[in-house]
Amino acid sequence: MIEIKSVYKTFADKIVLNNVSTVFEPGKVTMVIGRSGSGKTILLKSTIGLSSVDNGEILYNNRDFFKSNIKIQRKIREEMGMVFQGGALFTSATVQENVIFPLDLFTDWTKAEKLKRVNFCLNRVNIEDANNLYPGELSGGMQKRVAIARAIVLNPKYLFCDEPNSGLDPQTSIVIDKLIKELTLEYNMTTIVNTHDMNSVMGISDKIYFLYEGQIEWEGVSDDIFNSENQNLNDFVFASEFFRKAHSSGTINGRMVKQ
Amino acid sequence: MNFLVLIGKYFFLMKTVFSKPVKRKIFWKRVLEEIDGIGINSIWIVSIVSVFMGAVLALQVATNFESPFIPKYLIGFSTRETMILEFSSTVVCLILSGKVGSNIASEIGTMRITEQIDALEIMGVNSANYLILPKIIASVITFPILTILSIMLGIFGGYMVSFFTGIVAIPDYIYGIQVFFVPYNVLYSIIKMIFYAIIITSISSFFGYYTQGGALEVGKSSTNAVVASIILILIFNLLLTQLLLL
Ligand SMILES: Nc1ncnc2c1ncn2[C@@H]1O[C@H](COP(=O)(O)OP(=O)(O)OP(=O)(O)O)[C@@H](O)[C@H]1O
Ligand SMILES: [Mg+2]
């Protein structure tokens, strides 16, 4: 479990995180949604300690990340897997080298054992016969999937995904979403996904935080998202024509959304 | 003020760079990669430049010393001394700062803006140590070897030009490159080279590591890296010459 308590962050004079408190639970996909620039990436980067905060606490199973020394921080980080907004695969290494890298660092397994695990993970994300290709030779969706494989190779307790669907077609997005959901349940991971894709929100979220100008303006579950009083959330949710129409017709994914 | 902040940031980064690597085996594999990338890949440019420079040096000395009272072996002698004292260390490094320095800054800068450095950090890797220390070690190992190579090829260039133009008889040239030889000067050259190696790799890594923004900024970092390396090389050349030769 990850707890974020009253986190503040400013850049120069601009407040980008304003008293943010959240709880991310194991076995659940928690989604942080919000418009571009609302602070999703900063929140994620602060959570994993890549970006410092001005005030507040971030607890990993009760271990305060920012108050821990660098050794413990690295230890906590070994328990994290992260899929970056752009994939962040090592461009000078092959797919196999990318995925095997965390194993090289943190296990004493034999080469054969490591390869077995790498192939298992690549299989898990439906990447086949691509071990010796370089990231530049893969499509965007494949890169994302390799990034997921690399993120889960060490069986992380915490999985962070920054807009895993950006730049992907709707079908591929669904594949990636399902994958994230399944992996979360399979390994009881604490999964946090940043997104502004309402399809993902409706599809796989267990818990939702809506971030608006650095503040959590709404939290809840997907079933309630259409019935909120919050104007900013409604503007966000109904920005898509599809959701507006679905809402006025009363159903989404076969679910009633209107009382 | 800004300048002091920059220096502070540099030493802060170096403190992180010089810490214990995660895993020995991976670390030495990285060093070997960098020896290949930084050292082996520079052999050709150092070779070409040195042969030509040695040839030109011999020619220039020959045309300037046409008096019958000046012994011809001085052509070989001065070619050798110029290579050893200045060319094969300082000038070669000015060239290498363009090749190796810009390469390092843009490589690390690109890794920064595409979040590859963040990806390393999140895996619990000390990214500065992992990326930069192998480069520094590789250059400290290979640059002195490049100096020796450059000295020999420079002398060879002079030999070739003497052979083809007859500006000096070959036995005179051979005598010249052996006479008044001070082994300490080679050491002086190698010591300078080690300093330059650290300057080029650490400064370029520094500029790359703190790149912010996009592709344009990577280009700027790489230009800044080369300019800063060149200036520091010139300053250290002066300081080290004072210290070591006087
Ligand atoms: N290094 C920085 N310096 C100054 N301001 C920054 C910096 N990084 C982010 N910001 C600001 O913080 C705010 C939040 O940015 P963030 O990247 O978290 O947005 P986001 O919600 O992830 O957007 P997107 O959906 O486009 O990825 C933005 O207004 C941005 O301008
Ligand atoms: Mg973002």
Side-chain angles (χ1 to χ4, degrees):
Chain A
M1 186 164 78
I2 308 171
E3 287 167 276
I4 296 181
K5 291 185 177 168
S6 318
V7 162
Y8 288 87
K9 167 130 189 119
T10 51
F11 280 116
D13 292 335
K14 196 165 166 240
I15 303 179
V16 288
L17 294 178
N18 190 356
N19 193 16
V20 172
S21 298
T22 59
V23 178
F24 303 120
E25 287 175 71
K28 287 189 176 172
V29 177
T30 308
M31 290 202 156
V32 177
I33 60 173
R35 293 173 55 178
S36 186
S38 57
K40 301 184 295 295
T41 298
I42 294 295
L43 178 61
L44 199 61
K45 287 203 170 166
S46 303
T47 309
I48 60 185
L50 281 181
S51 164
S52 62
V53 298
D54 300 341
N55 217 328
E57 288 179 341
I58 289 166
L59 306 176
Y60 282 83
N61 288 339
N62 295 321
R63 293 167 295 181
D64 188 330
F65 187 85
F66 285 104
K67 290 219 181 76
S68 305
N69 63 33
I70 190 99
K71 279 231 174 77
I72 297 187
Q73 288 188 347
R74 294 236 157 88
K75 195 83 210 149
I76 296 177
R77 280 189 174 162
E78 285 172 29
E79 300 170 355
M80 300 177 184
M82 165 110 190
V83 181
F84 285 86
Q85 204 161 343
L89 294 176
F90 302 126
T91 41
S92 58
T94 62
V95 166
Q96 179 171 308
E97 287 164 350
N98 262 283
V99 183
I100 212 168
F101 184 74
L103 297 177
D104 283 339
L105 282 173
F106 298 112
T107 69
D108 292 314
W109 301 357
T110 64
K111 179 93 191 186
E113 287 169 330
K114 285 189 261 191
L115 278 179
K116 199 169 154 226
R117 174 74 189 156
V118 167
N119 287 324
F120 173 82
C121 290
L122 285 173
N123 238 325
R124 193 67 198 71
V125 299
N126 296 319
I127 297 276
E128 261 145 47
D129 302 324
N131 288 36
N132 296 320
L133 297 181
Y134 284 87
E137 299 170 306
L138 305 177
S139 73
M142 287 170 85
Q143 288 186 22
K144 282 272 164 65
R145 279 183 281 157
V146 173
I148 294 176
R150 187 178 68 180
I152 61 167
V153 76
L154 279 175
N155 261 325
K157 286 199 181 103
Y158 317 102
L159 181 65
F160 303 91
C161 307
D162 197 359
E163 309 206 10
N165 294 336
S166 63
L168 300 183
D169 66 87
Q171 276 176 308
T172 311
S173 297
I174 290 173
V175 172
I176 302 249
D177 282 348
K178 274 178 82 176
L179 189 62
I180 292 172
K181 179 79 174 180
E182 284 168 17
L183 291 168
T184 304
L185 293 174
E186 230 170 285
Y187 301 109
N188 197 35
M189 285 188 296
T190 305
T191 302
I192 295 125
V193 179
N194 277 355
T195 190
H196 38 59
D197 178 0
M198 278 306 293
N199 288 316
S200 309
V201 175
M202 298 317 291
I204 61 163
S205 70
D206 294 305
K207 176 84 198 269
I208 303 159
Y209 288 97
F210 172 64
L211 202 56
Y212 185 82
E213 293 189 351
Q215 249 172 320
I216 303 279
E217 288 225 333
W218 184 86
E219 59 177 276
V221 293
S222 57
D223 286 340
D224 298 333
I225 202 165
F226 295 106
N227 306 317
S228 124
E229 304 283 295
N230 186 306
Q231 191 55 46
N232 293 325
L233 177 63
N234 285 336
D235 289 348
F236 178 83
V237 170
F238 296 118
S240 134
E241 190 70 12
F242 168 74
F243 281 98
R244 210 170 11 244
K245 281 196 182 128
H247 183 59
S248 49
S249 74
T251 54
I252 274 188
N253 298 347
R255 256 194 310 232
M256 294 299 292
V257 292
K258 252 182 168 176
Q259 270 94 359
Chain B
M1 177 58 202
N2 225 337
F3 185 63
L4 288 181
V5 171
L6 213 62
I7 293 178
K9 257 172 116 177
Y10 171 80
F11 282 105
F12 182 77
L13 177 66
M14 286 307 123
K15 204 183 131 224
T16 327
V17 167
F18 287 94
S19 54
K20 201 168 156 277
V22 204
K23 252 191 175 177
R24 256 221 203 114
K25 208 177 131 204
I26 297 185
F27 182 76
W28 288 110
K29 196 175 143 241
R30 285 273 305 120
V31 172
L32 286 181
E33 276 170 24
E34 295 298 348
I35 284 180
D36 184 47
I38 292 176
I40 313 269
N41 270 332
S42 300
I43 289 180
W44 62 274
I45 180 128
V46 170
S47 304
I48 291 173
V49 172
S50 304
V51 171
F52 276 85
M53 208 38 106
V56 170
L57 278 172
L59 273 178
Q60 284 178 345
V61 174
T63 47
N64 282 315
F65 289 171
E66 279 203 347
S67 152
F69 300 108
I70 297 175
K72 285 283 186 201
Y73 69 77
L74 272 185
I75 294 172
F77 170 77
S78 52
T79 303
R80 183 197 75 205
E81 283 305 285
T82 314
M83 293 306 289
I84 292 178
L85 288 174
E86 206 52 30
F87 186 86
S88 297
S89 52
T90 308
V91 179
V92 161
C93 268
L94 291 176
I95 292 163
L96 286 181
S97 68
K99 183 187 176 289
V100 175
S102 67
N103 196 319
I104 290 177
S106 56
E107 179 195 330
I108 297 185
T110 304
M111 291 189 77
R112 165 63 74 195
I113 63 162
T114 56
E115 296 180 310
Q116 293 178 49
I117 290 183
D118 288 343
L120 282 172
E121 285 290 329
I122 198 71
M123 289 174 193
V125 179
N126 175 345
S127 62
N129 169 268
Y130 176 80
L131 293 173
I132 301 174
L133 191 55
K135 291 189 195 298
I136 296 179
I137 292 179
S139 67
V140 167
I141 293 172
T142 54
F143 278 26
I145 299 173
L146 290 177
T147 310
I148 305 284
L149 179 76
S150 164
I151 293 172
M152 296 197 306
L153 287 175
I155 292 171
F156 171 73
Y159 175 88
M160 290 304 279
V161 90
S162 311
F163 181 79
F164 284 113
T165 62
I167 46 167
V168 47
I170 293 300
D172 280 344
Y173 184 81
I174 302 275
Y175 176 73
I177 60 175
Q178 290 169 326
V179 78
F180 309 132
F181 179 62
V182 186
Y184 176 76
N185 286 351
V186 178
L187 184 67
Y188 154 80
S189 188
I190 287 173
I191 293 173
K192 284 206 293 186
M193 204 63 176
I194 290 172
F195 275 87
Y196 300 157
I198 297 171
I199 289 172
I200 293 177
T201 45
S202 69
I203 294 286
S204 308
S205 301
F206 167 74
F207 279 98
Y209 198 79
Y210 288 110
T211 304
Q212 263 183 354
L216 196 65
E217 280 76 13
V218 172
K220 277 185 199 153
S221 295
S222 129
T223 310
N224 289 342
V226 174
V227 172
S229 304
I230 288 177
I231 292 172
L232 280 170
I233 287 173
L234 295 174
I235 293 173
F236 270 77
N237 187 25
L238 198 65
L239 291 178
L240 289 171
T241 304
Q242 282 268 340
L243 266 168
L244 297 171
L245 281 195
L246 295 180

